Amino acid sequence: MISYRLEGSQGNARAGHILTRHGDVPTPAFMPVGTLASVKALSSAEVAASGARMQIMNTYHLWLRPGPERVAELGGLHEFARWPHAIATDSGGFQAFSLAERTKMTEEGFEFSSHLDGKRLKLTPEEAMRIQGLLGSDIAMQLDVCLSGTAGLPELRAAVDRTTRWAERCLAAQAPGQALFGIIQGGTNIELRLEHAETLGKLPFQGLALGGFSVGEPPAHMHASLVQIAHRLDAARPRYLMGVGTPEDLLVAIGAGIDLFDCVMPTRNARNGQAFTWQGKVTIKNARYRDDPLPLDPECTCSACRGGYSRAYLRHLFVAGEILALRLLSEHNLTLYGRLMREARAAILDNRYADFAAERLAVFRNLTDTSQPG
Amino acid sequence: MISYRLEGSQGNARAGHILTRHGDVPTPAFMPVGTLASVKALSSAEVAASGARMQIMNTYHLWLRPGPERVAELGGLHEFARWPHAIATDSGGFQAFSLAERTKMTEEGFEFSSHLDGKRLKLTPEEAMRIQGLLGSDIAMQLDVCLSGTAGLPELRAAVDRTTRWAERCLAAQAPGQALFGIIQGGTNIELRLEHAETLGKLPFQGLALGGFSVGEPPAHMHASLVQIAHRLDAARPRYLMGVGTPEDLLVAIGAGIDLFDCVMPTRNARNGQAFTWQGKVTIKNARYRDDPLPLDPECTCSACRGGYSRAYLRHLFVAGEILALRLLSEHNLTLYGRLMREARAAILDNRYADFAAERLAVFRNLTDTSQPG
């Protein structure tokens, strides 16, 4: 189980703690994504060094391999991945929708073919709870119906209603000792979102998540929705915005009242050669960095920047396809995300979050990489 | 410049030190290969943690990119790769032979087309010295003519003679402050090897290398040759066996009088899923490791083994294509090579190298992975 403790707030922004079986997670918090029980390219120690105290891992992927029974026999995800801090798992529903093949949804759940070997599988709310229980995460997510950002109202309404019925089935199948979060759907329809938030808020979830954002709609729409919705979620429980996002998104969402995030962006962008820095984005393969002796970001404390690796060296490694480039950029980006969370937290507790966010937003929005693709 | 100091010996096996501009290299020593100024998948700190105090980097690859002038402007290879210990560079000749396209060799040098963009390039002894001087390695290698293990005597003789003429041209073009090693050729023809060793031994090289081994001949032939040749190389200078080899090869070669090695094997095999352990080889993708909670090697102190990562987790990561698998296996294998060198050194100084080598050879030769490919 988990508990949430509010430590301070400014406006809708909140600083708090999620206390789990695997330690304290100060919030706002960003969860790096350890899809297959590994944050891509990084060691557990490097992930922890970024400040992260909770990872999210992927039920769909771990179900297909190595399999939840095997993970359970090997001591659960924490022992398996040698990650001593907290772990959340998603429900697998999003991947059943987006990654698996020939997916059919009924009231019972999803039926689909594994993207690895075509094997036909069935993911019901009960099965999602059983798998996450075996994986042994601290926080499980309910199975939900996630639609694209362009879905119409009748579709959204149907998705919301089914998600509610699945919420109740998940709660009935909740594994002992494991926290369970409900997932609020409704797209960018504010009324529907608020209604669903109220419905799920009455259920005994340990936290509430916003799903179905950042699935194709313009960021400005998401930001506008968050400002209207996030602070209306039950204040006694953690509020988690799933699958989001850029540093800008995070700053806006924290201001709106969100406590918890996950996103592949810092690590995926790193593997594509894009670094986030406090001066804006750096596309490392650009020719302008060929002779650049400076570190990625002189303000940064990650091992790439502190270690004195030059942009010229990072560019060379990236262009040559060396794994070390992916490692160093991933570590750098996660370090920035971790610091953003720590600074946001400190700003909230100091009652200066609005100024802090405005300042940082200006940097992230305007000082992007001015170079042409090299 | 470098100097060599003999500390002790047992039979032909020697323990000593190569003192360089970048610190002391206790010998016998294994040099991990940092082809493009990075030991693949690993950080400098991890390479150093394996016990390595000298890396070898690749002149051909670094010549093509990022270019030696750029490396020089950025402070040389040590600064570029953030490797504070010693660096050797090869001459680029082997890659001009094996990797480049449409290679022509004349008395002047090699002409070939870059394997990256087809650009026509010319590698002479003087150019090999100029490039290595710009790269700033502690030890440069002469340009030599390397033949396959099956070359006939007239070919071998011609290669040896040309290598001698190139040796003199390289010495005339030696960069100030940089040590230069000569390369003895002659295939498995003992007479030719000994003659070439004597010829090059008269030249003012700071070390002598054996080239052209492990290029297709059976290991037993190489071992037999080494036993006859190695101890005949000038005892006042370090003796370097290029591009070799397995743990078995190293044990035999050290017994024969070799001080220095380099090989891609520990890191390349790691990326192919093969771990060397003190109990024999482990092919990590084998199905037998699926549920194995043990570390790769309970005797090992690398971060994979000490960190408690199970074989089941390593197998999972490897099968799933996760970078962390390549990192952990690479670190493990280099750690074993580093420890093998330290133990060999201690055994020589304790006058028990013969017993030590026999014991270890039995393990490496007989206790191989008994599993079927999974």
Side-chain angles (χ1 to χ4, degrees):
Chain A
M1 277 300 151
I2 63 156
S3 68
Y4 175 74
R5 184 163 64 76
L6 181 69
E7 192 177 341
S9 60
Q10 188 207 5
N12 290 325
R14 321 198 305 166
H17 295 270
I18 301 173
L19 300 164
T20 78
R21 297 182 293 193
H22 291 90
D24 175 31
V25 182
T27 59
F30 178 80
M31 297 189 282
V33 180
T35 310
L36 278 148
S38 162
V39 175
K40 287 189 192 306
L42 298 181
S43 71
S44 284
E46 288 158 354
V47 174
S50 78
R53 287 297 172 269
M54 180 147 59
Q55 281 186 39
I56 186 159
M57 296 182 182
N58 199 286
T59 289
Y60 170 85
H61 287 283
L62 293 167
W63 184 21
L64 300 194
R65 60 183 182 194
E69 288 81 6
R70 177 161 291 129
V71 171
E73 276 160 30
L74 290 161
L77 282 177
H78 298 83
E79 173 65 20
F80 188 57
R82 306 299 291 168
W83 172 256
H85 309 294
I87 295 176
T89 43
D90 65 6
S91 70
F94 185 75
Q95 283 73 29
F97 227 71
S98 61
L99 189 59
E101 288 149 19
R102 297 185 294 129
T103 298
K104 281 192 340 194
M105 182 177 56
T106 65
E107 184 63 22
E108 182 58 15
F110 296 105
E111 254 196 69
F112 58 88
S113 301
S114 155
H115 74 289
L116 292 178
D117 61 6
K119 193 181 163 188
R120 204 72 189 154
L121 293 164
K122 216 166 158 176
L123 185 63
T124 62
E126 292 76 17
E127 180 68 2
M129 290 300 97
R130 188 188 73 86
I131 296 170
Q132 294 180 80
L134 284 168
L135 293 174
S137 51
D138 301 287
I139 297 176
M141 300 302 298
Q142 76 151 103
L143 192 69
D144 65 325
V145 182
C146 180
L147 297 180
S148 84
T150 56
L153 184 58
E155 271 185 291
L156 286 174
R157 159 70 62 189
V160 161
D161 290 346
R162 179 165 282 167
T163 296
T164 302
R165 293 189 296 274
W166 286 1
E168 286 164 349
R169 285 168 59 188
C170 284
L171 281 165
Q174 185 173 2
Q178 187 174 52
L180 178 59
F181 281 25
I183 303 179
I184 294 155
Q185 292 287 351
T188 49
N189 184 305
I190 305 299
E191 208 176 327
L192 202 52
R193 284 274 183 187
L194 291 176
E195 185 193 313
H196 201 211
E198 205 185 319
T199 306
L200 292 193
K202 289 179 187 151
L203 298 177
F205 285 118
Q206 284 76 49
L208 294 168
L210 294 170
F213 277 115
S214 207
V215 290
E217 79 284 8
H221 285 199
M222 175 177 74
H223 296 173
S225 300
L226 287 174
V227 169
Q228 296 175 74
I229 298 164
H231 69 280
R232 307 275 289 271
L233 304 187
D234 178 15
R237 290 178 273 189
R239 301 160 172 168
Y240 166 27
L241 178 58
M242 301 181 77
V244 174
T246 63
E248 298 94 307
D249 292 336
L250 268 51
L251 287 165
V252 171
I254 290 168
I258 296 291
D259 305 307
L260 193 57
F261 303 90
D262 80 283
C263 195
V264 293
M265 189 172 281
T267 44
R268 178 177 290 167
N269 286 25
R271 296 196 310 283
N272 292 324
Q274 190 176 65
F276 295 96
T277 80
W278 297 104
Q279 290 82 44
K281 285 174 194 157
V282 167
T283 302
I284 199 66
K285 74 174 177 195
N286 283 354
R288 66 183 296 202
Y289 300 120
R290 239 190 261 264
D291 298 298
D292 192 335
L294 293 177
L296 261 184
D297 189 338
E299 278 192 58
C300 177
T301 58
C302 80
S303 67
C305 294
R306 205 173 10 86
Y309 294 103
S310 64
R311 293 171 188 170
Y313 182 62
L314 293 171
R315 179 186 187 277
H316 160 70
L317 292 179
F318 186 79
V319 170
E322 289 288 333
I323 288 172
L324 185 56
L326 314 185
R327 292 180 52 172
L328 293 172
L329 291 176
S330 296
E331 207 179 337
H332 172 81
N333 282 354
L334 274 194
T335 300
L336 181 135
Y337 269 65
R339 179 165 158 195
L340 188 66
M341 293 300 106
R342 280 194 303 282
E343 291 191 350
R345 196 177 140 73
I348 294 165
L349 294 173
D350 281 2
N351 242 18
R352 55 177 175 76
Y353 183 75
D355 291 347
F356 163 80
E359 221 172 84
R360 285 305 193 193
L361 278 170
V363 171
F364 288 122
R365 277 176 181 155
N366 302 321
L367 287 179
T368 52
D369 190 3
T370 56
S371 62
Q372 297 305 307
Chain B
M1 277 302 150
I2 63 154
S3 68
Y4 174 74
R5 184 163 65 75
L6 182 69
E7 194 177 338
S9 60
Q10 187 206 5
N12 291 324
R14 324 198 303 163
H17 296 270
I18 302 173
L19 300 164
T20 77
R21 298 183 294 193
H22 291 89
D24 175 30
V25 182
T27 58
F30 178 81
M31 298 190 281
V33 181
T35 310
L36 278 149
S38 162
V39 175
K40 289 195 193 299
L42 297 181
S43 71
S44 284
E46 287 158 355
V47 175
S50 78
R53 287 298 172 268
M54 180 145 60
Q55 278 187 43
I56 185 156
M57 296 181 182
N58 198 285
T59 289
Y60 169 85
H61 287 284
L62 294 166
W63 184 21
L64 300 193
R65 61 186 180 192
E69 290 81 5
R70 176 162 293 129
V71 171
E73 277 161 28
L74 290 161
L77 281 179
H78 298 83
E79 172 65 20
F80 188 57
R82 305 300 290 167
W83 172 255
H85 308 294
I87 295 175
T89 43
D90 65 5
S91 70
F94 184 76
Q95 283 73 29
F97 227 70
S98 61
L99 190 60
E101 287 149 19
R102 295 186 293 129
T103 299
K104 282 193 337 197
M105 180 175 58
T106 65
E107 185 61 24
E108 181 58 13
F110 295 105
E111 253 195 70
F112 57 88
S113 300
S114 154
H115 74 288
L116 292 178
D117 61 5
K119 194 180 164 187
R120 204 72 190 153
L121 294 164
K122 218 168 158 175
L123 185 62
T124 62
E126 293 76 15
E127 181 67 1
M129 290 301 100
R130 188 188 73 85
I131 296 170
Q132 292 180 81
L134 284 168
L135 293 174
S137 51
D138 300 288
I139 296 176
M141 300 303 298
Q142 76 151 100
L143 192 69
D144 64 326
V145 181
C146 180
L147 296 181
S148 85
T150 56
L153 185 60
E155 273 186 290
L156 286 174
R157 159 72 60 191
V160 161
D161 290 347
R162 180 165 280 166
T163 296
T164 301
R165 294 190 295 275
W166 286 2
E168 286 164 348
R169 284 167 61 188
C170 283
L171 281 165
Q174 186 173 2
Q178 187 174 51
L180 180 58
F181 280 25
I183 302 178
I184 294 155
Q185 291 288 350
T188 49
N189 185 305
I190 305 298
E191 208 176 328
L192 203 53
R193 284 274 183 188
L194 290 176
E195 184 193 313
H196 201 211
E198 203 185 323
T199 307
L200 292 194
K202 290 180 185 148
L203 297 177
F205 285 117
Q206 284 75 48
L208 293 168
L210 294 171
F213 277 115
S214 208
V215 290
E217 80 283 8
H221 286 199
M222 175 175 77
H223 295 173
S225 302
L226 288 174
V227 169
Q228 296 177 74
I229 298 165
H231 69 281
R232 308 274 289 269
L233 304 186
D234 178 15
R237 291 177 274 190
R239 301 160 173 170
Y240 165 27
L241 178 58
M242 301 181 77
V244 176
T246 62
E248 296 93 308
D249 293 336
L250 269 52
L251 287 166
V252 171
I254 290 169
I258 296 291
D259 305 306
L260 194 58
F261 304 90
D262 80 283
C263 194
V264 294
M265 189 172 283
T267 45
R268 179 177 290 167
N269 286 25
R271 298 198 306 286
N272 292 325
Q274 190 175 68
F276 295 95
T277 80
W278 297 104
Q279 290 81 44
K281 286 173 194 158
V282 168
T283 303
I284 199 65
K285 75 173 176 199
N286 283 355
R288 67 184 295 201
Y289 301 120
R290 238 190 261 264
D291 298 298
D292 191 335
L294 293 177
L296 261 185
D297 189 340
E299 278 193 55
C300 176
T301 58
C302 80
S303 68
C305 294
R306 206 173 10 87
Y309 293 103
S310 64
R311 294 172 186 168
Y313 183 62
L314 293 171
R315 178 186 189 276
H316 161 69
L317 293 178
F318 187 78
V319 171
E322 289 289 331
I323 288 173
L324 185 57
L326 314 184
R327 291 179 53 173
L328 293 172
L329 290 177
S330 297
E331 206 178 338
H332 171 81
N333 281 353
L334 275 193
T335 299
L336 181 136
Y337 270 65
R339 180 167 156 195
L340 188 66
M341 294 298 107
R342 279 195 304 281
E343 291 191 349
R345 196 177 139 73
I348 295 166
L349 293 174
D350 281 1
N351 241 19
R352 53 175 176 79
Y353 183 74
D355 291 345
F356 164 79
E359 219 172 87
R360 286 305 193 193
L361 278 170
V363 172
F364 288 122
R365 278 178 182 154
N366 301 322
L367 287 178
T368 52
D369 190 2
T370 56
S371 62
Q372 297 305 310

